[in-house]
Amino acid sequence: MAARRSVRDRLRHARRPRTGLPYSFPRSQPLKVHGHSVAWLPPLLLLLGIALLDASTSGRFRIISWLVLVPVIAAAICGVLGTLALGVLSLLAYGAIDASWPHRYQNGLPDFFLVVVGSALAALACSVRLRAERQMLHMRDVAETTRRTVLRPMPPGWGGLDHAAVYLAADSEARVGGDFYDIQPGRHGTRLLLGDVQGKGLAAVEAAASLLGTFREAAYHEPVLTTVAGRLEVRMLRHNGYRVALGREDGDRFATGVLVAFREDTPATVEVINFGHEPPLVVTADGVRSLPPGDGLPLGMGDLASAPPPALRVALAPGETLLMVTDGVTEARDATGTFFPLRDTLTKALARDPRTADPHRLVRWVRDGTLDHCGGRLADDTTIFAVRRRAADGRRT
């Protein structure tokens, strides 16, 4: 019986919608003080102010009809019931205050009907606003779910690597674009991939998702890194063919990228295959050096080369950080059109503080430097990805 209850409890909890999923809409958050809503306070103060001003003016200058502003203000910050309540309160205040004046100074029914119509329209506008907010929150949830699917969160020490990453979408509302990165532990060591799909928009996101799906499977199963690279090239070509079959005009899309393998049997080296991407930087407390650029073509253009790109084995000693960025960093321009001098400024930063080589510090430094250089105006999606082997005891090196 206890086992049956446990199963029923799990099923019951599984049916409950979870916060953050696309079908879970957070309620509109009004103005709050110590957890209590005070959204009603500004329109109520407006009501009191209008009433006091009307009482202090002469009978030839009446402003009691300004009470129509109270439900209008409430519609912008309160819920529908709050807007209706403040509308009714405005009507009651109008009747009481207008009746307190001599008959010859009363505004009478015309302005009363103005407040009635204004209150009704304000409640309707409030309902439309709340519906638009729910739709906006829904779209944000969809965008966030898409982002977490393409750029999945990785636990600390994933694959035996200390890692840190920053992704900045050029379109802040979209939250995801054509940049992608991932770490995949597997049977033959840990592999990582960073890349940038040509173009922007949903088509670039689709291509990035396709490449990441192939990478996660191939990097886990395949023993040879060049085989993983071949699978990625085939995936890009198949994706382009699929787009052409659908009648899309962007069937010749390609992606630059860097594929890296951390093998357990060679802790002082890594294997790197470069698909036409900016070479990664090796960052240490003593300075910065670039890895060989390689001669591979971008993914999707492999049929133009006579041979697939080779896997280069390069030195990466324990404690050295591998920094990879997309062209959102390398092509960031200041007001004069000058590109961000990443390597030179990073070398100076390391001379001032060698701790900048830590992956988390390094990613934050590159992010801040890029945004400062371009004045916060990103022309392209920007990804900054830094990894470093963990020490044998699991501590950060």
Side-chain angles (χ1 to χ4, degrees):
M1 292 297 293
R4 291 180 180 177
R5 285 196 298 270
S6 176
V7 172
R8 286 198 299 267
D9 291 342
R10 291 182 182 181
L11 290 174
R12 185 169 61 252
H13 290 299
R15 295 191 187 103
R16 295 177 181 174
R18 300 178 181 178
T19 303
L21 293 176
Y23 47 80
S24 176
F25 304 128
R27 294 177 64 88
S28 178
Q29 297 295 321
L31 300 173
K32 287 187 175 182
V33 175
H34 300 299
H36 299 285
S37 174
V38 293
W40 49 268
L41 187 57
L44 181 61
L45 291 176
L46 177 63
L47 186 152
L48 295 175
I50 292 173
L52 291 175
L53 284 174
D54 186 79
S56 62
T57 57
S58 66
R60 298 182 182 276
F61 183 74
R62 300 289 311 283
I63 63 170
I64 192 62
S65 59
W66 291 11
L67 286 174
V68 71
L69 296 176
V70 173
V72 171
I73 299 300
I77 57 178
C78 298
V80 176
L81 292 180
T83 300
L84 287 173
L86 286 162
V88 171
L89 189 60
S90 298
L91 292 173
L92 295 176
Y94 180 96
I97 296 171
D98 197 48
S100 66
W101 286 85
H103 186 269
R104 65 180 183 276
Y105 295 129
Q106 292 179 5
N107 286 11
L109 287 178
D111 286 352
F112 179 81
F113 286 134
L114 174 66
V115 179
V116 171
V117 174
S119 299
L121 292 178
L124 178 61
C126 181
S127 176
V128 172
R129 173 182 67 85
L130 292 177
R131 182 177 180 180
E133 285 183 358
R134 286 193 295 269
Q135 291 176 342
M136 179 188 67
L137 290 172
H138 174 62
M139 294 306 298
R140 285 186 177 180
D141 278 341
V142 170
E144 180 63 18
T145 301
T146 302
R147 187 189 69 84
R148 291 174 67 87
T149 300
V150 177
L151 304 176
R152 62 177 180 176
M154 292 176 285
W158 183 237
L161 301 176
D162 286 323
H163 58 84
V166 166
Y167 176 81
L168 303 173
D171 183 353
S172 59
E173 294 298 325
R175 300 179 64 84
V176 67
D179 287 5
F180 57 92
Y181 62 90
D182 200 10
I183 297 174
Q184 181 58 61
R187 300 175 179 178
H188 310 282
T190 297
R191 278 79 180 265
L192 63 87
L193 175 68
L194 176 136
D196 181 4
V197 176
Q198 170 259 334
K200 299 179 182 179
L202 292 178
V205 177
E206 290 177 2
S210 296
L211 289 171
L212 282 174
T214 298
F215 165 74
R216 289 162 185 165
E217 290 302 311
Y220 179 84
H221 292 285
E222 298 295 345
V224 181
L225 190 64
T226 53
T227 304
V228 179
R231 294 274 297 273
L232 290 172
E233 173 67 23
V234 172
R235 174 72 266 181
M236 193 74 241
L237 294 175
R238 289 176 57 200
H239 180 77
N240 287 340
Y242 168 75
R243 301 282 297 180
V244 171
L246 288 177
R248 307 291 172 84
E249 297 179 355
D250 56 352
D252 57 350
R253 194 174 295 272
F254 62 87
T256 63
V258 179
L259 181 63
V260 183
F262 290 81
R263 297 178 54 175
E264 297 179 356
D265 57 345
T266 55
T269 62
V270 293
E271 290 182 313
V272 181
I273 298 179
N274 193 314
F275 304 100
H277 197 79
E278 186 76 16
L281 298 177
V282 178
V283 183
T284 70
D286 299 324
V288 183
R289 71 178 190 273
S290 296
L291 293 186
D295 54 2
L297 293 178
L299 294 168
M301 302 176 67
D303 54 350
L304 301 178
S306 58
L312 304 178
R313 180 166 293 186
V314 296
L316 187 70
E320 294 184 331
T321 300
L322 194 64
L323 173 65
M324 294 165 285
V325 300
T326 57
D327 54 11
V329 174
T330 56
E331 297 182 4
R333 299 172 183 259
D334 61 11
T336 65
T338 303
F339 290 114
F340 178 44
L342 173 61
R343 181 169 177 172
D344 293 340
T345 54
L346 179 54
T347 300
K348 296 176 182 178
L350 289 166
R352 292 191 300 268
D353 185 3
R355 295 177 301 174
T356 305
D358 175 80
H360 296 272
R361 290 174 178 265
L362 181 58
V363 163
R364 288 196 298 268
W365 182 90
V366 176
R367 177 200 62 192
D368 295 342
T370 302
L371 292 175
D372 288 343
H373 184 78
C374 67
R377 297 181 298 273
L378 296 173
D380 200 354
D381 298 330
T382 301
T383 298
I384 308 160
F385 192 30
V387 297
R388 182 168 64 183
R389 288 184 186 267
R390 282 203 158 191
D393 57 2
R395 296 179 301 178
R396 291 182 180 180
T397 56

